[in-house]
Amino acid sequence: MTHSGQVLAQRQIDRKSNEIPAFVPLLDGIDLTGAVITADALHTQRDHASYLYERGAHYLAVIKRNHPGLHERVRRLPWSDIRLDHVDRTRAHHRDEIRRLKTAAFAHIDYPHARQALQVVRWRRDMGTGKLTIERIYLVTSLPPGAADGQELAAWIRGHWRIENQLHHVRDRTFHEDASHIRTRHLPRVMAGLRNLAIGVHRQDGHTNIAAALRHTSRNHLRPLTALGLA
């Protein structure tokens, strides 16, 4: 999925497996040249990093405690002495949030083709209760120093965090996917593809609220196709 909300590919996951074996088959049919790939921490796998490098892509990989040695090494960098690359502040959903990004170049990182480490610190204050939470997130990237500035890196990281709201939340809340009783053979994948298609068409039509877009197009099913020049 692109960070603007378009689904480029999908793959059904076996109930007895997880997403890791599907990573390479999913991306094999997409031109990755020059792309920057973000993924959940589950996909911070050495084989995945090597695969992306061989395909001509770069990655931003989240480092958590499932990689204890790498996580500890990145966490112990002298972040307090490293200059701030980007700061961003937003107010939404009754929250005041500040995100600060720092980057550090490495001579060697024990992760395939990694060139930089990143620290993101997020301050979130609930404007109703006043409760403050602070979260520190660490990443590594194959992008060399200077290939992207702090604003671009921050936008890619935030873009990945928005995927949950742009796709999974919409499929569940607007299309009630979790309540679906369709379970036979390939039908769940087919229905997921149709939902993704509908979401993607409305995103390309400029809609950000998919529920409102569905209400609008239900009055005339040709509206999104007309806007895209397909009808």
Side-chain angles (χ1 to χ4, degrees), residues 142-153:
S142 57
L143 289 162
D149 60 24
Q151 184 174 354
E152 290 175 305
L153 292 169

Side-chain angles (χ1 to χ4, degrees), residues 13-75:
I13 306 299
D14 191 288
R15 290 184 179 180
K16 298 180 181 180
S17 183
N18 58 43
E19 295 177 4
I20 294 176
F23 184 87
V24 171
L26 177 72
L27 297 178
D28 270 343
I30 303 174
D31 182 7
L32 301 180
T33 306
V36 177
I37 306 298
T38 64
D40 293 339
L42 176 70
H43 294 290
T44 302
Q45 306 286 334
R46 296 176 182 275
D47 290 345
H48 292 357
S50 297
Y51 168 81
L52 293 174
Y53 182 82
E54 291 167 2
R55 292 287 311 278
H58 287 288
Y59 61 79
L60 280 166
V62 178
I63 304 299
K64 291 190 175 180
R65 296 185 186 277
N66 57 329
H67 294 274
L70 179 60
H71 179 271
E72 190 66 9
R73 186 177 182 193
V74 173
R75 187 184 71 83

Side-chain angles (χ1 to χ4, degrees), residues 21-231:
F23 184 87
V24 171
L26 177 72
L27 297 178
D28 270 343
I30 303 174
D31 182 7
L32 301 180
T33 306
V36 177
I37 306 298
T38 64
D40 293 339
L42 176 70
H43 294 290
T44 302
Q45 306 286 334
R46 296 176 182 275
D47 290 345
H48 292 357
S50 297
Y51 168 81
L52 293 174
Y53 182 82
E54 291 167 2
R55 292 287 311 278
H58 287 288
Y59 61 79
L60 280 166
V62 178
I63 304 299
K64 291 190 175 180
R65 296 185 186 277
N66 57 329
H67 294 274
L70 179 60
H71 179 271
E72 190 66 9
R73 186 177 182 193
V74 173
R75 187 184 71 83
R76 288 184 174 275
L77 286 173
W79 291 109
S80 60
D81 299 327
I82 296 173
R83 66 178 177 82
L84 186 66
D85 281 304
H86 183 71
V87 62
D88 178 80
R89 182 170 186 168
T90 57
R91 287 189 176 184
H93 307 294
H94 305 289
R95 285 189 321 212
D96 188 9
E97 184 170 338
I98 300 174
R99 293 168 294 275
R100 294 162 59 93
L101 170 70
K102 293 182 177 182
T103 61
F106 258 75
H108 173 70
I109 306 177
D110 187 22
Y111 194 76
H113 311 291
R115 300 288 301 277
Q116 298 183 86
L118 295 81
Q119 181 200 61
V120 178
V121 182
R122 294 191 292 185
W123 283 265
R124 289 178 176 173
R125 185 183 299 277
D126 187 301
M127 292 187 288
T129 65
K131 181 181 178 180
L132 175 67
T133 59
I134 301 175
E135 181 182 19
R136 287 177 174 81
I137 300 167
Y138 299 99
L139 307 93
V140 293
T141 180
S142 57
L143 289 162
D149 60 24
Q151 184 174 354
E152 290 175 305
L153 292 169
W156 287 328
I157 295 168
R158 288 198 67 198
H160 180 76
W161 291 338
R162 284 199 299 266
I163 287 177
E164 179 68 30
N165 289 331
Q166 288 183 324
L167 183 65
H168 303 301
H169 182 75
V170 173
R171 281 168 49 173
D172 182 26
R173 296 297 297 273
T174 303
F175 290 92
H176 305 288
E177 184 173 68
D178 287 351
S180 173
H181 294 288
I182 297 174
R183 298 286 186 271
T184 305
R185 298 175 63 82
H186 299 299
L187 284 178
R189 183 175 64 184
V190 172
M191 292 304 301
L194 292 173
R195 294 182 190 106
N196 289 341
L197 175 62
I199 294 169
V201 168
H202 288 305
R203 296 266 187 228
Q204 292 183 58
D205 195 24
H207 293 280
T208 55
N209 187 321
I210 301 302
L214 291 173
R215 291 192 294 271
H216 177 72
T217 54
S218 66
R219 304 185 190 105
N220 180 352
H221 69 282
L222 292 179
R223 279 173 173 167
L225 298 178
T226 301
L228 295 174
L230 300 177

